[in-house]
Amino acid sequence: MSGYPHGVAQATRTDPMRMLEEIKRQALEALGGLPGTLYVPIEDALKLASLKTDGKNNFYEEQAALWMLRQQQASHVMRYRQQVAQGFDDFRALRIRSGGEVQLRLVDEQQLEYELASGRLNEALVARFARPLDTLQSRLQTLSEAMRVPVGVNPIGPDRLVTAFAQTFLEAQVPDTLRARLFRHYETELVRVLGELYARVNTLLATSGYGSAAPAPASPRAEAPRRDGYAPPPGFGGAGDGFGGLGVAAPFTHASGAGNFGRTLSTPMSNQDIAAMAGELAELRSQLHAWRESLPKDEAGPALGTATARNAGPRREMRVDEILSVASLLQAEPPDAFARALAVSGRLGETIRDHLQDGARRLGLNPEQACFSSEEEDAIDLVALLFDSLFQHNALQDRARRLYARLVLPYVKVALTDNGVFVKREHPARRLLDAITEACEGNDAETAQDRELLDRATEISQRIVAEYNEDLAVFELAHAELDALLAQQRRRIELQEQRAAKATYGRERLGAAREQAESALSERLAEPELTQAVADFLAMPWRHHVVQTLLRDGADPRRHAEAIALGDALLMADRMAGQNRGRELADQLLALQPAIVECLASSGLDDSAAQHGMAGLVRALATPDTPRSRRPSPPLTMPEDDVSESERKLWLAGGTDTMTHDQILAERMRTLEVGDWVRLTDVQGESVAAKIAWVSPLTSRFLLVNRRGIRMLVISPEELASLASAGRLTIGAERTAFDEAMRQVRRHLDRAPVAR
């Protein structure tokens, strides 16, 4: 049975052994010297790290180990080349692939560390080069069938190349920190080399008869011939038509490199989901078009080269690959203009257009003869509105503005090639922007953890600028890295919310206990005329004792009843003293002595001071003609909860006395649950998202915290209803920053006046 599908004759193919040798030659030529290229950049990195730490960290061990590795550079390069070549021997079954039963043995710690580092690097490379690897694996399978050998491991796949690298340095004495640097720089070199190598090998196999040479299908518009003969510069290949030609399924694919539309997501979507999201995108674009038409002509900026359009002839619409080429040219330039535009709402879209126009001139495109298409306008406007919304509705510090400014052009490129970013919540670019906003929002870099988050987010934004070229795997890897660090912050936020809830609950319990104690005291001072000593005892130690009993033993009604009974017993003792019932009074005081001493001790008095206080009370009651009178209840001496008062000054102008509320709306507020998000506007007009972190079991009030878990406000359903009636509360804010930003974008577009 022939191993060639669809009746392709063997004579039409290059000899498979010669083909494998040619691939091996090209692989060794591209990869063979990689270990020797790592030492200089690592040495430079160590010098730079030493300078940054002002000598506080000792890099001597790493530098010494690196020096030893450099002495063995030739042998390491030779061993690496042997390892790569061995992969080709294994592929054509020159070595036994299965040795039968494998003996179990202990793995030493160094080998285990290499295996862990290799696993992480392999996963990153597989994700980055998924599409060319899939194509290459299919063509290598055809090559194996032609050689009539079982399908082997891809000899230039990430797994094989990472294993070759680990085996090269396995016997060397390398510190953990230097090992991490080696793997990191090796990854950088592989990323630089593999894309071109895989493309060459795939083309070689296809043209030699081992797989289809047909390119990935493109939309009709992307493949249409150009009348002006324009060809993008090298490295700026087209990536599909984005908004105009991707169709219904387009928003749900990853763009995976220049000239390719990308691979579908690993989780298939139902037809209903696809239709719903396509409908959502169509509605969003309809809103956008209506909004753009409502703008004054001098603000809409609809075309490239508008200033000279009146005297120019008909202009053609620029292709997406041309815009991508321009954006890629500008992507690495300083983002100062975008940072300034983010400081002024509504200026970002204009700035993006100006920059793209300037970049078009640099690439030799005449702005007087070209304009943006409607789809490109949509992409630019949506990205501008998205970033504006993020800055208007999140507590982002000034430092974050430059970070976001770097991301503007990469996200314009994403929007041009994959409009699903605006409607699909699992889109990798969308998830990364959520993670970056989570790291930056409200982050004033006060703690070491906050500074680390900001530094990592800044580093990742720089990496996106440096590496993104229509391959969404860059966003996936960056999100995974930042999300791992954010997991620690989320735990801190959760603990912060719990502490805020416990502190609020403690204050509420204290307030409730003080109110009960105050009520009990007022009730007992209202009726009889009392001696000064008994009245003072009830007003101070006894009232405090009742409060402490309620707080410490709130679940034990017996203890509270005993504390109340002590106050009633002292009233009876005072009455006995006034009636000169000496014997009964003595018996009463003897019976009350343990309770009185315990009451005094709860106020912080030691046993000696408590006994002294007991003696003073006895002396006062021992004299029948001691003056007695009615005494008002003194004010509470414990400090009030001034936190709530300062909160209300920020959010509830005029206090609660002047607030009115709708009863039906208040009932609606009572249905809010822990975890729900709302959006609040303070008295200065600043809007911020708030989460319901806790509902008081005592007062039914809500504890609202910001996205960093910091307490913002403790508020009743009635006060929430009043804020909602005043237009300063919105229920149902989204959980993620991107979702909330798109929600605000839609609200902004909905408010656009109808064009006449």
Side-chain angles (χ1 to χ4, degrees):
M1 181 177 178
S2 173
Y4 306 100
H6 307 295
V8 177
Q10 183 174 359
T12 63
R13 288 178 171 167
T14 304
D15 177 72
M17 299 300 292
R18 288 179 54 195
M19 178 57 53
L20 191 63
E21 283 300 319
E22 177 59 21
I23 296 174
K24 177 180 176 181
R25 184 191 67 78
Q26 294 195 21
L28 289 175
E29 182 181 285
L31 302 169
L34 286 188
T37 67
L38 306 179
Y39 303 130
V40 172
I42 291 178
E43 186 175 24
D44 293 341
L46 286 174
K47 290 179 181 177
L48 182 60
S50 179
L51 291 174
K52 285 184 176 180
T53 57
D54 297 328
K56 295 178 181 178
N57 292 334
N58 187 4
F59 294 95
Y60 174 77
E61 184 181 7
E62 286 185 73
Q63 292 169 336
L66 182 63
W67 184 85
M68 293 296 296
L69 291 179
R70 296 194 69 167
Q71 303 309 304
Q72 306 171 42
Q73 176 176 333
S75 62
H76 288 154
V77 170
M78 182 61 68
R79 184 171 184 181
Y80 178 74
R81 291 176 66 90
Q82 291 172 347
Q83 290 288 332
V84 174
Q86 179 181 314
F88 288 88
D89 293 343
D90 292 346
F91 182 81
R92 56 184 167 180
L94 291 182
R95 296 169 58 89
I96 300 175
R97 290 184 183 163
S98 175
E101 185 177 351
V102 179
Q103 282 189 333
L104 297 177
R105 62 184 179 86
L106 293 175
V107 178
D108 61 45
E109 184 175 350
Q110 180 168 330
Q111 183 174 350
L112 180 60
E113 290 295 334
Y114 272 107
E115 290 180 358
L116 292 173
S118 298
R120 289 191 289 267
L121 177 54
N122 181 54
E123 290 178 4
L125 293 172
V126 168
R128 186 180 189 92
F129 297 104
R131 184 177 179 85
L133 282 172
D134 289 344
T135 304
L136 183 56
Q137 184 61 38
S138 174
R139 290 171 178 171
L140 289 176
Q141 181 176 353
T142 305
L143 188 66
S144 296
E145 293 172 356
M147 292 189 299
R148 303 185 185 282
V149 297
V151 180
V153 176
N154 182 351
I156 54 174
D159 184 41
R160 183 69 223 179
L161 296 179
V162 172
T163 300
F165 184 74
Q167 290 296 322
T168 299
F169 293 96
L170 184 59
E171 297 179 0
Q173 298 299 317
V174 181
D176 292 344
T177 51
L178 181 58
R179 183 189 306 114
R181 293 182 189 273
L182 281 169
F183 272 89
R184 186 160 59 248
H185 284 273
Y186 181 56
E187 178 182 5
T188 301
E189 289 301 304
L190 283 182
V191 168
R192 181 180 62 83
V193 171
L194 285 184
E196 182 181 355
L197 176 62
Y198 288 155
R200 286 207 315 266
V201 173
N202 270 321
T203 301
L204 179 64
L205 286 167
T207 57
S208 301
Y210 296 96
S212 172
S219 67
R221 183 176 173 218
E223 295 182 340
R226 293 294 309 277
R227 296 181 181 179
D228 58 359
Y230 170 80
F236 297 124
D241 195 26
F243 272 78
L246 290 183
V248 173
F252 322 114
T253 60
H254 288 295
S256 64
N260 295 316
F261 286 108
R263 55 185 172 85
T264 57
L265 292 172
S266 57
T267 303
M269 299 183 64
S270 67
N271 292 335
Q272 292 84 350
D273 290 338
I274 293 175
M277 295 176 72
E280 183 181 354
L281 182 61
E283 181 182 356
L284 179 61
R285 292 185 60 187
S286 177
Q287 289 178 288
L288 185 66
H289 296 165
W291 167 79
R292 193 183 297 135
E293 290 173 3
S294 71
L295 294 177
K297 296 302 181 183
D298 58 343
E299 295 181 14
L304 201 62
T306 301
T308 58
R310 298 185 186 91
N311 301 323
R315 293 176 297 162
R316 65 171 180 83
E317 292 184 351
M318 295 183 70
R319 290 206 322 262
V320 168
D321 60 288
E322 292 176 316
I323 302 296
L324 291 175
S325 299
V326 172
S328 297
L329 174 69
L330 302 172
Q331 185 167 294
E333 295 186 354
D336 298 338
F338 297 133
R340 289 191 296 268
L342 284 172
V344 182
S345 178
R347 292 294 305 276
L348 184 57
E350 177 185 346
T351 304
I352 294 173
R353 289 182 174 88
D354 289 344
H355 260 59
L356 292 177
Q357 180 179 5
D358 180 63
R361 288 196 184 96
R362 295 192 213 173
L363 284 181
L365 297 176
N366 187 349
E368 298 180 7
Q369 299 176 0
C371 64
F372 294 126
S373 69
S374 174
E375 294 80 12
E376 292 157 358
E377 292 283 350
D378 289 350
I380 292 170
D381 281 332
L382 282 175
V383 169
L385 290 169
L386 169 68
F387 276 73
D388 272 340
S389 180
L390 284 171
F391 265 83
Q392 289 177 24
H393 300 101
N394 294 280
L396 297 174
Q397 309 295 322
D398 286 340
R399 177 178 174 179
R401 185 172 291 113
R402 188 172 179 85
L403 187 158
Y404 280 80
R406 288 192 199 97
L407 298 173
V408 168
L409 283 181
Y411 274 82
V412 169
K413 292 168 64 177
V414 171
L416 286 168
T417 56
D418 188 359
N419 48 29
V421 67
F422 297 111
V423 293
K424 191 175 192 314
R425 294 191 172 185
E426 293 303 313
H427 195 286
R430 184 174 184 138
R431 296 174 67 194
L432 176 62
L433 201 56
D434 278 335
I436 289 176
T437 305
E438 184 178 348
C440 295
E441 185 176 17
N443 190 341
D444 50 12
E446 286 188 353
T447 67
Q449 294 87 352
D450 287 343
R451 289 191 291 273
E452 181 184 8
L453 268 178
L454 281 178
D455 291 342
R456 187 68 60 85
T458 300
E459 176 188 332
I460 283 175
S461 72
Q462 294 168 340
R463 187 189 311 167
I464 294 296
V465 168
E467 299 181 6
Y468 175 56
N469 191 18
E470 290 85 71
D471 184 357
L472 291 183
V474 175
F475 291 93
E476 293 176 345
L477 295 174
H479 171 262
E481 177 183 332
L482 185 56
D483 193 61
L485 187 60
L486 283 170
Q488 305 172 22
Q489 173 175 287
R490 295 186 191 109
R491 179 56 183 159
R492 289 195 295 270
I493 289 174
E494 182 181 345
L495 293 174
Q496 182 74 27
E497 291 178 1
Q498 292 175 2
R499 285 194 291 267
K502 288 179 180 178
T504 303
Y505 186 45
R507 282 191 288 267
E508 287 196 347
R509 290 187 63 225
L510 175 60
R514 284 158 51 182
E515 287 181 3
Q516 280 190 256
E518 184 70 13
S519 175
L521 176 63
S522 299
E523 181 180 342
R524 279 150 186 80
L525 293 182
E527 296 182 2
E529 293 183 344
L530 298 175
T531 60
Q532 183 69 43
V534 172
D536 289 345
F537 186 91
L538 290 176
M540 296 297 294
W542 178 76
R543 179 170 59 176
H544 182 71
H545 180 57
V546 171
V547 170
Q548 293 300 312
T549 302
L550 288 169
L551 292 177
R552 296 172 181 171
D553 307 298
D556 187 356
R558 181 182 59 84
R559 294 281 297 159
H560 177 62
E562 290 176 354
I564 296 297
L566 173 62
D568 292 337
L570 283 173
L571 291 178
M572 177 59 70
D574 190 88
R575 194 176 302 117
M576 290 176 180
Q579 297 171 358
N580 202 16
R581 296 158 58 185
R583 182 176 294 277
E584 295 179 56
L585 175 61
D587 293 341
Q588 178 84 336
L589 292 177
L590 285 174
L592 291 178
Q593 181 177 359
I596 292 174
V597 171
E598 180 185 359
C599 176
L600 291 170
S602 70
S603 296
L605 302 179
D606 59 18
D607 186 66
S608 175
Q611 293 292 346
H612 182 74
M614 175 71 186
L617 189 62
V618 169
R619 282 196 301 271
L621 292 174
T623 306
D625 56 352
T626 299
R628 288 173 170 79
S629 63
R630 293 182 179 274
R631 305 182 186 278
S633 175
L636 291 171
T637 57
M638 296 183 183
E640 295 288 339
D641 179 15
D642 56 356
V643 177
S644 295
E645 185 62 28
S646 63
E647 289 169 352
R648 279 166 171 74
K649 289 179 180 178
L650 177 63
W651 300 100
L652 307 175
T656 57
D657 294 338
T658 60
M659 296 188 70
T660 58
H661 68 275
D662 185 326
Q663 196 62 40
I664 298 177
L665 195 54
E667 290 297 325
R668 166 69 181 90
M669 298 301 167
R670 290 188 180 92
T671 64
L672 295 175
E673 299 178 351
V674 172
D676 288 345
W677 285 87
V678 299
R679 181 160 289 276
L680 280 174
T681 303
D682 64 18
V683 293
Q684 282 81 32
E686 295 292 331
S687 178
V688 65
K691 174 187 175 184
I692 296 177
W694 175 76
V695 181
S696 170
L698 292 178
T699 63
S700 298
R701 295 193 304 169
F702 299 103
L703 168 64
L704 302 182
V705 299
N706 62 18
R707 291 192 187 274
R708 301 186 69 79
I710 305 299
R711 166 173 161 160
M712 293 171 54
L713 179 65
V714 177
I715 192 168
S716 69
E718 291 77 14
E719 291 166 341
L720 281 177
S722 179
L723 287 176
S725 299
R728 293 173 49 208
L729 173 72
T730 303
I731 298 176
E734 299 290 349
R735 293 176 181 272
T736 67
F738 199 110
D739 287 341
E740 179 61 21
M742 287 306 300
R743 180 173 182 261
Q744 295 299 329
V745 166
R746 289 185 177 89
R747 286 170 57 87
H748 174 73
L749 297 178
D750 279 339
R751 290 194 294 266
V754 179
R756 296 181 179 178

